[in-house]
Amino acid sequence: MTPRDILELMKQHEVQMVDFRIVDVPGRQHHVTVPAAEIDEEVLERGVAFDGSSVPGFRGIEESDMVMRPVLETAFLDPFTEVPTLAVTCNVYEPSGNRYERDPRYIAEKAEQYLKSTGIATTAYFGPELEFFIFDDVRFDSTQSGAFYAIDSEEAVWNTGTGVKNLGYHVKNKSGYFPVAPTDTQQDIRTEMVLELMKAGIRVERHHHEVATAGQAEINFRFGTLTRTADTVMTYKYIVRNVARRHGKTATFMPKPIFGDNGSGMHVHQSLFNGDEPLFYREGGYANLSEIALQYIAGILYHAPAILAFSNPSTNSYKRLVPGYEAPVNLVFSRGNRSAAIRVPVAVVSPKTARIEFRTPDCTANPYLAFAAMLMAGLDGIRRKLDPTELGFGPINKNIYELSAEEKAQIKSVPGSLGEVLDALEADHEFLLEGGVFTKDFIRNWIDFKRNNELAPLHLRPHPYEFSLYFDL
């Protein structure tokens, strides 16, 4: 798509505003809106200026001038604005014209460039499955004198006895996959989300209710190349949240907003191609996987503690990663086994659909960083010819949750906290520096940002449950 194509699109749809969007280091979108009358080919080529010091994780006030330059093929008509508005994702540049090293999208693009430079493959495909909750109400606060959170959903199991009039059909814990209406109250709102995603150019494959009570959902879209799939994740989140808001509801991608039921993950399907040749398939191999695929698996499992600093980068992530709630905490791979960190899909698989599914990640990840980290780990496994079996990563073809204590003791598990994975990243990040994909500055900045802005404030605050444990001690 060219600047002229964008101007023609704007004319065709009588666009009055153009919304330039970037993604900060943690993974939230920010935007600057420009009247259509101010948009010409030069603006679309050179971009618009913004203050980088106000963007989390970017830079200080003493060097704040930055430029966002639109990636034209990401443009779509925003369905939530009162006037016709074209939204477009941007790359971040220095005033000098150089790409900004801390721009997450640049890191994703560098990972794809590094893949080609290795000669191993030309393309990495990623297919994330995002899970989320749609609530009717959410309240939370944390002050000097108190802290609380409260969520509610009309279909939640805790509402079986509430209200003046109650029609029943509430979703029991772990029973949301996937009953029809009237138990599933969110068919229509998910369908509306799907239709808006499709209008934005995203190819959607299916939607359904997920396992948990209180409105857990999943909408699956078609896989794509690394950076463009990360773009899709950001658009997906934007559309899901705003369709929910349109209906007087709220959507959250928090991994574990509910105690006592399943959390929300982001299972990431991955494969490598060399031109049109799929590299992960070998008929007769374990689960019909090639040697390259097994080495890629080994790389991800070997570096998993460090990867989780990007793929599961919140304190809440580790409320989900506990045994008993279908959480993939076991660092093994297996054929068709959802209790393993890496599952190898075996249903309706052909050479071109052969892939691996890394089930541990969640949606608090910045997708540009998480996908790049996974690819770099997998490529490190291929480069070093790592063998997952020799490293003790399986395959395990049993339900791991039902193994004996002695058998479980032989299986490695993911770290149990954000602090642990940040320590792991600090100790193991050389594989991320290959090809200049990540930089030491970025990794240091990421670790410090998480420790100072998330871990430290949380450690200082009393937890409400501590009063139940200790108030009368």
Side-chain angles (χ1 to χ4, degrees):
M1 186 169 281
T2 66
R4 189 166 296 177
D5 294 330
I6 292 292
L7 294 173
E8 182 59 35
L9 183 67
M10 292 169 59
K11 181 179 179 182
Q12 178 185 345
H13 293 280
E14 299 181 342
V15 166
Q16 296 182 39
M17 295 286 165
V18 177
D19 205 43
F20 294 83
R21 299 179 179 181
I22 60 170
V23 177
D24 67 17
V25 170
R28 294 181 179 89
Q29 284 186 309
H30 302 261
H31 68 143
V32 171
T33 308
V34 178
E38 300 298 318
I39 301 296
D40 56 23
E41 290 191 33
E42 183 178 4
V43 171
L44 293 173
E45 289 173 350
R46 299 186 63 178
V48 296
F50 71 99
D51 175 8
S53 68
S54 298
V55 179
F58 272 21
R59 64 196 329 171
I61 196 169
E62 74 281 359
E63 48 178 1
S64 59
D65 286 359
M66 308 196 79
V67 177
M68 57 175 80
R69 200 172 289 175
V71 182
L72 303 182
E73 61 266 26
T74 67
F76 70 97
L77 292 168
D78 191 324
F80 307 108
T81 53
E82 289 189 14
V83 303
T85 300
L86 190 73
V88 60
T89 298
C90 297
N91 290 324
V92 179
Y93 285 78
E94 303 270 11
S96 64
N98 295 326
R99 293 291 294 273
Y100 180 48
E101 291 286 352
R102 290 188 185 176
D103 177 12
R105 198 173 191 279
Y106 184 37
I107 291 172
E109 289 183 334
K110 286 192 291 181
E112 292 188 285
Q113 294 164 6
Y114 174 69
L115 169 65
K116 292 178 182 178
S117 74
T118 65
I120 293 170
T122 56
T123 310
Y125 288 108
F126 282 74
E129 300 173 350
L130 284 73
E131 297 168 337
F132 55 94
F133 283 89
I134 304 171
F135 295 140
D136 290 290
D137 189 60
V138 58
R139 302 164 193 268
F140 52 90
D141 201 2
S142 180
T143 68
Q144 187 174 19
S145 62
F148 82 99
Y149 75 90
I151 56 175
D152 205 5
S153 165
E154 62 179 338
E155 65 172 47
V157 65
W158 57 79
N159 281 323
T160 55
T162 63
V164 176
K165 183 179 181 181
N166 195 317
L167 300 178
Y169 293 99
H170 296 274
V171 178
K172 300 179 182 69
N173 286 332
K174 298 188 178 184
S175 299
Y177 189 83
F178 28 34
V180 298
T183 305
D184 180 2
T185 66
Q186 298 180 346
Q187 167 80 16
D188 290 338
I189 191 171
R190 291 196 309 270
T191 294
E192 187 174 327
M193 291 170 178
V194 167
L195 295 177
E196 295 293 5
L197 288 166
M198 292 170 65
K199 289 177 187 175
I202 296 171
R203 182 176 171 183
V204 178
E205 295 181 330
R206 64 183 66 84
H207 75 79
H208 59 82
H209 201 291
E210 257 298 345
V211 173
T213 187
Q216 192 181 34
E218 182 175 322
I219 299 172
N220 298 140
F221 61 86
R222 185 77 166 176
F223 65 87
T225 55
L226 189 156
T227 306
R228 290 294 287 120
T229 298
D231 292 336
T232 298
V233 169
M234 300 310 300
T235 302
Y236 176 113
K237 284 185 168 185
Y238 177 76
I239 287 174
V240 164
R241 287 169 174 149
N242 281 284
V243 170
R245 178 62 67 92
R246 182 189 280 169
H247 286 263
K249 299 178 184 287
T250 185
T252 180
F253 292 87
M254 276 183 71
K256 192 75 169 182
I258 296 178
F259 170 71
D261 208 341
N262 283 23
S264 295
M266 182 178 70
H267 309 152
V268 184
H269 296 253
Q270 302 165 55
S271 63
L272 297 180
F273 274 64
N274 192 23
D276 294 329
E277 178 191 0
L279 299 181
F280 275 12
Y281 184 84
R282 183 177 72 83
E283 188 173 355
Y286 176 79
N288 289 325
L289 287 180
S290 67
E291 185 178 19
I292 280 181
L294 292 170
Q295 293 167 350
Y296 189 96
I297 287 171
I300 287 183
L301 293 175
Y302 179 84
H303 293 295
I307 296 173
L308 264 62
F310 293 112
S311 66
N312 302 73
S314 70
T315 58
N316 189 249
S317 298
Y318 300 89
K319 304 292 195 296
R320 166 181 171 255
L321 292 179
V322 294
Y325 297 94
E326 297 188 20
V329 299
N330 304 292
L331 291 178
V332 295
F333 74 104
S334 183
R335 177 180 55 230
N337 189 339
R338 285 175 167 79
S339 64
I342 291 184
R343 180 179 77 98
V344 184
V346 293
V348 197
V349 170
S350 66
K352 286 195 172 184
T353 60
R355 62 197 186 278
I356 64 108
E357 177 193 13
F358 187 30
R359 295 177 57 79
T360 307
D362 66 56
C363 297
T364 57
N366 182 323
Y368 300 100
L369 305 178
F371 297 165
M374 292 175 212
L375 177 62
M376 296 302 289
L379 292 177
D380 188 60
I382 295 171
R383 183 173 61 85
R384 295 167 57 192
K385 301 188 184 303
L386 298 181
D387 184 321
T389 302
E390 288 182 2
L391 293 171
F393 296 130
I396 301 290
N397 297 317
K398 301 177 182 178
N399 184 339
I400 299 171
Y401 302 127
E402 296 179 355
L403 296 179
S404 67
E406 186 176 332
E407 290 174 308
K408 287 180 181 177
Q410 305 302 313
I411 296 175
K412 299 173 184 176
S413 296
V414 299
S417 70
L418 178 59
E420 290 177 61
V421 298
L422 292 175
D423 291 344
L425 177 62
E426 201 165 40
D428 175 29
H429 59 258
E430 290 298 321
F431 72 99
L432 297 171
L433 304 179
E434 293 291 329
V437 175
F438 287 78
T439 64
K440 288 186 177 182
D441 167 76
F442 184 88
I443 291 170
R444 182 75 267 155
N445 180 58
W446 176 265
I447 293 170
D448 291 345
F449 184 92
K450 289 288 176 178
R451 285 176 176 165
N452 296 333
N453 294 283
E454 297 176 27
L455 284 180
L458 196 64
H459 287 326
L460 290 172
R461 285 163 169 76
H463 189 283
Y465 194 63
E466 289 178 311
F467 283 78
S468 298
L469 295 173
Y470 309 123
F471 186 79
D472 61 348
L473 191 61

